[in-house]
């Protein structure tokens, strides 16, 4: 698989740098040091840019001389025809070359621009995966995806418009002013320069006014997108509570805000375009009146009048476009600003300087006086110490909120401990690389979420590139292989968004299969059979016992019946270990664990009796119906 070269670092735009600060950050992507093939494209594109502008200001001179030749008196017939024709052809060739050179420039730069967008997009994607679990729990996926999408589009806008529109237009302005001053006097250059300055000032002030409107429109758009994605991801919940209309009203409320902001955006755009046209027309009119006066006085020719007009019209086209370019650049800055804010967020969990790969020899896991809190006012774990010996299993049980799942998250180093240490084979996990740590641990979570892809892909995710035979072997251990074979497309069956086309038990078994395929030395089972029926649970428990053999296993359990064979059971309550021992020892102790066991047994017995009563009612009703049907 081809890997991208490390990209240059992206920093948040400086508060006082604005556009230039962003361009400085993008410069390494425009001139990548490790890509000579892209650098020569930039160089040739810049030559094409300069050549295009030189041809642009030269072409009107051919037009001027053609007009003068046509209006000159006393020329021989051959000259009166041949010279204007040649000049007109030259003018036409110049106009074509303007377009051709511009297209060559764009074609050459396309690969550079798209490579930059790709590099920054991949960098952002990697950065998001490097951020902490806390960050992703606090952000909404729909809104975040929208911010990233607009940010990458904004990067393309900044790269293309800043380099090939703003700079060339300013270059053309200087050339036009120089030509007018040289040929007709400095007053012409002053009028044109003042006109352009006023035009740019108006464009700037009007665009700044529109920025607030556009920002509110973006906010409404993000809010609407977030609500839509959130609602669709929770499609079944919406149906359970019959809240389709409620969701539509919420979405419409956001779209109303977007509608109002969008209308204001279009109205403000009309004001901007009208003002730009008025200002430039006034400047054009003044210059043309000056030239017309000189022609009437005999100090200029008709060709000079045409030349002045042609130069002004040619300047107006990119200048008018510059107004929309400026708006696009400012919009691009707004969009990129949000993405840079994400890029500026540092990972909460980062490898320490000099971090070394974890070396798993035996697989012993030890929690040493571990304390943790999400909020300082609400401790989750308090001085928790226990050891999972190599190849043995330890179960963590306790009431909801006791801190059971937090233990697995700390072991995976999704969070840093507030106190104490977590060690694997004597190595503090805070001092090893995260990649090596997570390679050594296999997780079967309580809430299984699958990718919207095939069953094969979701199992293979445990070890990308695994052979089909290995995938099927893992599926057999997880008791999912036979079910997969009954599907029309087998392992190529698409599981749907978040795996919704599969039942809870089927999803859980796919999750178990991919963990089996990963074959880690340490297993973490977080309520791994919580979504399974009793018969399937027993099958999976047998498979998990086989998989866990000779592996260090930490089991986070709610159903106590699933961990009766654990080598040690640790009972958590309010973040502290209150009991520990094997199943029989804890029952004999008649403490917290025994009470939890008795409550679950009573609940299971109550459910069993209810099921039997329901079955009996069903049989009775069926007998009554049969009797009525036979007339008895």
């Amino acid at each position: 698989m081809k890997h991208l070269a490390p990209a240059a670092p992206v920093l948040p735009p400086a508060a006082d740098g604005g556009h230039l600060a962003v361009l400085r950050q993008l410069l390494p992507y425009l001139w990548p040091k490790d890509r000579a093939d892209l650098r020569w494209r930039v160089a040739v594109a810049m030559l094409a840019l300069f050549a295009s502008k030189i041809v642009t200001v030269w072409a009107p001179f051919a037009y001027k001389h053609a007009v003068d030749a046509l209006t000159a008196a006393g020329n021989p017939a051959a000259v009166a025809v041949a010279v204007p024709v040649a000049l007109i052809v030259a003018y036409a060739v110049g106009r074509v070359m303007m377009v051709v050179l511009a297209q060559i420039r764009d074609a050459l730069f396309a690969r550079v621009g798209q490579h930059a967008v790709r590099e920054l997009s991949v960098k952002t994607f990697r950065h998001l995966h490097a951020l902490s679990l806390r960050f992703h729990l606090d952000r909404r996926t729909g809104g975040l995806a929208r911010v990233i999408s607009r940010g990458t589009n904004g990067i393309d806008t900044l790269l293309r418009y800043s380099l090939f529109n703003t700079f060339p237009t300013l270059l053309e302005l200087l050339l036009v002013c120089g030509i007018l001053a040289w040929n007709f006097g400095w007053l012409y250059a002053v009028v044109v320069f003042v006109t352009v300055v006023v035009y740019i000032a108006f464009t700037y002030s009007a665009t700044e006014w529109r920025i607030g409107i556009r920002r509110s429109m973006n906010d409404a758009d993000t809010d609407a997108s977030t609500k839509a994605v959130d609602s669709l991801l929770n499609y079944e919940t919406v149906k359970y509570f019959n809240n389709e209309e409620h969701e539509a009203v919420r979405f419409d409320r956001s779209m109303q805000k977007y509608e109002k902001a969008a209308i204001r955006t279009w109205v403000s755009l009309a004001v901007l375009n009208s003002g730009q046209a008025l200002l430039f027309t006034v400047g054009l009119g003044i210059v043309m009146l000056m030239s017309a006066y000189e022609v009437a006085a005999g100090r200029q020719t008709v060709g000079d009048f045409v030349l002045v007009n042609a130069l002004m019209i040619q300047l107006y086209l990119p200048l008018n476009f510059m107004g929309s370019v400026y708006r696009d650049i400012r919009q691009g800055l707004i969009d990129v600003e949000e993405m840079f804010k994400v890029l500026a967020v540092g990972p909460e969990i980062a490898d320490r300087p000099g971090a070394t790969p974890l070396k798993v020899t035996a697989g012993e896991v030890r929690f040493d006086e571990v304390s943790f809190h999400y909020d300082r006012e609400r401790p989750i774990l308090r001085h928790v110490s226990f050891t999972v010996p190599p190849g043995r299993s330890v179960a963590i049980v306790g009431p909801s909120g006791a801190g059971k799942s937090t233990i697995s998250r700390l072991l995976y180093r999704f969070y840093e401990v507030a106190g104490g240490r977590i060690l694997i084979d004597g190595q503090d996990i805070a001092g090893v690389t995260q990649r090596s740590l997570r390679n050594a641990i296999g997780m079967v979570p309580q809430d299984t979420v699958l990718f919207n892809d095939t069953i094969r892909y979701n199992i293979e995710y445990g070890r990308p590139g695994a052979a089909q035979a290995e995938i099927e072997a893992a599926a057999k251990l997880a008791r999912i292989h036979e079910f997969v074979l009954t599907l029309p497309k087998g392992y190529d069956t698409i599981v749907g968004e978040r795996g919704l086309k599969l039942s809870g038990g089927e999803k859980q078994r796919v999750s178990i299969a991919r963990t089996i395929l990963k074959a880690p030395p340490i297993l973490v089972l977080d309520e791994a059979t919580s979504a399974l029926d009793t018969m399937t649970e027993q099958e999976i428990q047998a498979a998990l016992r086989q998989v866990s053999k000779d592996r260090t296993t930490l089991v986070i359990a709610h159903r106590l019946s699933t961990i009766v064979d654990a080598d040690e059971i640790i009972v958590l309550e309010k973040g502290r270990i209150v009991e520990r021992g094997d199943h029989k020892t804890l029952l004999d102790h008649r403490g917290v664990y025994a009470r939890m066991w008795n409550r679950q047994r009573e609940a299971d017995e109550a459910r069993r009796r209810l099921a039997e009563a329901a079955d009996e009612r069903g049989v009775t009703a069926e007998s009554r119906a049969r009797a009525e049907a036979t007339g008895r």
Side-chain angles (χ1 to χ4, degrees), residues 49-50 53 57 166-176:
L49 184 154
F50 281 104
K53 287 308 169 186
V57 297
T166 305
F167 173 69
T169 301
L170 294 176
L171 176 62
E172 186 173 349
L173 171 63
L174 294 176
L175 290 173
V176 168

Side-chain angles (χ1 to χ4, degrees), residues 14 16 61-62 130 139 154 249 293 302 317 414 440 450 457 524 552 588:
D16 56 350
F61 280 94
R139 296 295 293 256
V249 169
Y293 177 79
V302 175
L317 294 177
F414 285 152
L450 303 181
Y457 176 83
V524 178
T552 305
D588 293 342

